[in-house]
Amino acid sequence: LAIEGIREELRERVRELRQQGKLLEAQRLEQRTLFDLEMLSELGYCKGIENYSRHLTGRLPGEPPPTLLDYMPDDALIFIDESHVTIPQLQGMYHGDRSRKETLVEHGFRLPSALDNRPLKFEEFEERVSQVVYVSATPGDYELEKAQGHVAEQIIRPTGLTDPEVEVRPASNQVEDLLGEIRERARKGERVLVTTLTKRMAEDLTDYYREMGVRARYMHSEVDTLERVEIIRDLRLGKFDCLIGINLLREGLDIPEVSLVAILDADKEGFLRSERALIQTFGRAARNVNGRVILYADTITQSMARAIQETERRRRIQAEYNRLNGITPETVKKQITDLLSSIYEADYWTVPVVRELEAEYLSPQELLQRISELKRQMKEAASRLEFERAAELRDRIKALEELFLQHDVPVEERRVSPRKKRRRAHPFR
């Protein structure tokens, strides 16, 4: 039945495309779909089989797809963590998916039924959940409206730590002023997080501080996933003192060693400097007893004022609780775990294949080719968030690189070239 339904839809769609004069799209769709049908008939599956899910499940056009929520009891209690971010994502999932697939359908890459292989619309999601607890340090308007006044605050921390002190300083001399603050924290063995508005400024500021003798690194969306994990771990271990970024320093970045969060150009009103974004950023300094936030701004915006006011309210509540109960605040103690630890330290270790053991018999050129291939596989594994696989490949690369260095190869013939560093004038001089 499913295959017959797909064939019927294909005939109708090809006829429609030819009537519109889209002969290339019609041919592309026909070839692709007929190949998929042959695979389904012979093997029972095909690449992209999910795009035929409407026919395979017998749903009507436009009907919502089955999800995990359908298997939960009607009175199930749903917890939505970081709801101020999760709710907007749920609201936008359907529209983003629809926009992408409409393009595929229009150009003959998929049948129109592929549009029904989609996320739930937000209204459909709301119909399927009856009891919801929204968890967030900065709940959005939607959550507050749904709560109808039933809001439970969990401000008291068992460690006695209060929200960090917030100070506003002029932005005219922010780079040099921050340089002194970073050096002071570095002498105490503490760490600093700095937020900028652009990737370019994050990179330029990092280069400038390095030239000034500060151990600094940057992190933004162009940094590989695998490298981000290593950067965070190196910051905690004290291999450098200052991490500069944009929007990656908000939710979920739990680094107890950070005692200072600096927000540059804090008066530039917008998403990255909204009330909720500022409060989330303040929270990165709330794990350390010496936690402090510096906002560099020439004017105090409404978002800044509300964020500072809310932070001070929470500080007063925690301070009063500490006074009444005789609690002395202590910095959070958190073990530094190596997500990229060597496979030799793992509980289970895969015995190397014979091919790897025979690497010592390879020529230098063959070793370079093997290293290059493993690096490609490592990056692919990291992009799929398969960190264990990436770590295993990293260890194999290190072993091969050590073997390569044992060969007597002239430096000019070694094709492992360092990453080129961009040189440009610093705007901070």
Side-chain angles (χ1 to χ4, degrees):
L1 287 177
I3 291 179
E4 285 304 316
I6 296 171
R7 289 188 190 277
E8 179 61 28
E9 184 185 9
L10 174 62
R11 285 192 290 267
E12 294 178 2
R13 181 57 179 166
V14 168
R15 187 185 311 114
E16 181 181 339
L17 290 173
R18 286 174 178 167
Q19 289 174 353
Q20 296 174 2
K22 297 181 178 180
L23 302 181
L24 176 61
E25 287 82 353
Q27 183 186 25
R28 177 188 294 142
L29 180 64
E30 189 171 30
Q31 288 181 344
R32 181 172 194 146
T33 308
L34 289 177
F35 177 78
D36 287 346
L37 287 173
E38 186 173 350
M39 290 287 290
L40 286 171
S41 300
E42 298 299 327
L43 301 177
Y45 70 93
C46 69
K47 186 177 181 181
I49 190 174
E50 67 275 4
N51 290 289
Y52 303 109
S53 61
R54 193 187 81 190
H55 294 283
L56 296 171
T57 57
R59 288 181 288 123
L60 298 175
E63 204 172 355
T67 65
L68 182 62
L69 292 174
D70 296 327
Y71 296 88
M72 293 185 177
D74 294 336
D75 60 346
L77 179 61
I78 309 295
F79 285 81
I80 300 182
D81 193 22
E82 300 290 1
S83 60
H84 65 284
V85 174
T86 309
I87 292 298
Q89 288 176 341
L90 290 172
Q91 292 171 334
M93 274 185 182
Y94 169 79
H95 301 288
D97 181 81
R98 181 88 180 183
S99 175
R100 180 178 64 85
K101 286 182 179 171
E102 281 179 344
T103 302
L104 295 176
V105 171
E106 180 182 355
H107 292 88
F109 289 97
R110 288 295 173 192
L111 290 170
S113 59
L115 296 173
D116 289 322
N117 172 46
R118 59 173 176 82
L120 293 176
K121 298 178 182 177
F122 190 66
E123 297 77 15
E124 296 168 344
F125 169 77
E126 288 184 304
E127 292 173 357
R128 285 162 172 73
V129 295
S130 57
Q131 299 184 95
V132 184
V133 175
Y134 303 99
V135 183
S136 173
T138 54
D141 296 333
Y142 173 85
E143 300 96 293
L144 294 174
E145 179 185 346
K146 285 290 184 180
Q148 297 180 351
H150 299 286
V151 179
E153 288 189 324
Q154 290 184 310
I155 295 177
I156 304 300
R157 297 184 176 95
T159 57
L161 287 170
T162 62
D163 279 54
E165 294 182 9
V166 181
E167 179 183 357
V168 181
R169 294 185 183 179
S172 54
N173 193 35
Q174 58 184 4
V175 174
E176 295 302 328
D177 183 84
L178 179 58
L179 179 59
E181 293 289 343
I182 295 173
R183 285 172 172 166
E184 181 181 346
R185 262 57 181 195
R187 283 194 295 269
K188 296 179 181 178
E190 299 171 347
R191 317 287 184 269
V192 179
L193 296 182
V194 182
T195 64
T196 65
L197 285 175
T198 64
K199 298 175 184 177
R200 175 69 177 268
M201 185 175 182
E203 296 177 5
D204 285 342
L205 193 60
T206 301
D207 291 341
Y208 175 69
Y209 281 161
R210 282 176 175 172
E211 290 185 4
M212 293 295 103
V214 173
R215 299 186 302 169
R217 296 187 66 177
Y218 67 81
M219 183 171 71
H220 52 60
S221 59
E222 292 182 8
V223 176
D224 294 337
T225 306
L226 200 63
E227 190 177 353
R228 292 185 209 177
V229 180
E230 289 185 311
I231 288 174
I232 298 299
R233 183 173 182 275
D234 289 347
L235 178 67
R236 294 201 62 199
L237 288 172
K239 293 184 179 180
F240 64 98
D241 305 307
C242 176
L243 178 60
I244 303 173
I246 307 172
N247 193 31
L248 300 176
L249 305 181
R250 299 198 296 118
E251 301 91 354
L253 197 60
D254 186 7
I255 306 177
E257 293 79 9
V258 170
S259 65
L260 174 64
V261 171
I263 303 177
L264 304 185
D265 301 311
D267 54 353
K268 299 296 188 291
E269 191 80 77
F271 172 71
L272 295 177
R273 299 295 182 263
S274 65
E275 176 189 353
R276 293 188 179 94
L278 289 173
I279 293 176
Q280 288 285 347
T281 307
F282 293 175
R284 301 315 104 205
R287 275 71 171 171
N288 193 293
V289 70
N290 300 318
R292 191 177 177 194
V293 176
I294 299 178
L295 298 171
Y296 288 98
D298 294 323
T299 59
I300 297 181
T301 64
Q302 291 185 358
S303 295
M304 289 173 58
R306 289 193 296 267
I308 294 172
Q309 182 180 1
E310 175 62 18
T311 301
E312 287 299 321
R313 183 185 74 86
R314 298 179 182 183
R315 275 180 58 82
R316 288 194 299 270
I317 294 174
Q318 181 73 60
E320 180 64 14
Y321 181 84
N322 292 349
R323 187 185 66 80
L324 294 175
N325 294 275
I327 296 176
T328 301
E330 294 182 4
T331 299
V332 173
K333 301 294 191 298
K334 183 179 179 183
Q335 183 181 1
I336 303 176
T337 56
D338 186 2
L339 295 177
L340 302 176
S341 60
S342 170
I343 58 171
Y344 304 108
E345 300 168 3
D347 293 331
Y348 301 95
W349 179 55
T350 303
V351 178
V353 294
V354 176
R355 182 181 176 188
E356 290 297 316
L357 294 175
E358 293 177 350
E360 57 185 285
Y361 299 106
L362 297 177
S363 67
Q365 190 62 31
E366 290 173 330
L367 274 175
L368 284 176
Q369 293 175 355
R370 178 74 62 81
I371 292 171
S372 177
E373 172 62 21
L374 290 178
K375 284 184 176 180
R376 184 189 64 78
Q377 295 178 18
M378 181 182 70
K379 291 179 179 178
E380 288 181 357
S383 66
R384 296 192 300 268
L385 305 182
E386 297 175 358
F387 295 120
E388 292 184 359
R389 170 64 176 165
E392 178 187 350
L393 291 169
R394 181 205 60 182
D395 290 334
R396 292 168 62 183
I397 290 170
K398 284 183 177 180
L400 292 177
E401 286 177 340
E402 291 177 0
L403 187 61
F404 174 76
L405 292 175
Q406 295 175 10
H407 288 270
D408 187 15
V409 181
V411 175
E412 60 272 10
E413 294 183 13
R414 298 179 182 180
R415 296 188 180 180
V416 182
S417 57
R419 184 182 299 176
K420 293 182 179 179
K421 182 180 179 181
R422 289 176 290 178
R423 288 193 171 274
R424 51 177 179 253
H426 296 303
F428 310 116
R429 292 178 175 168

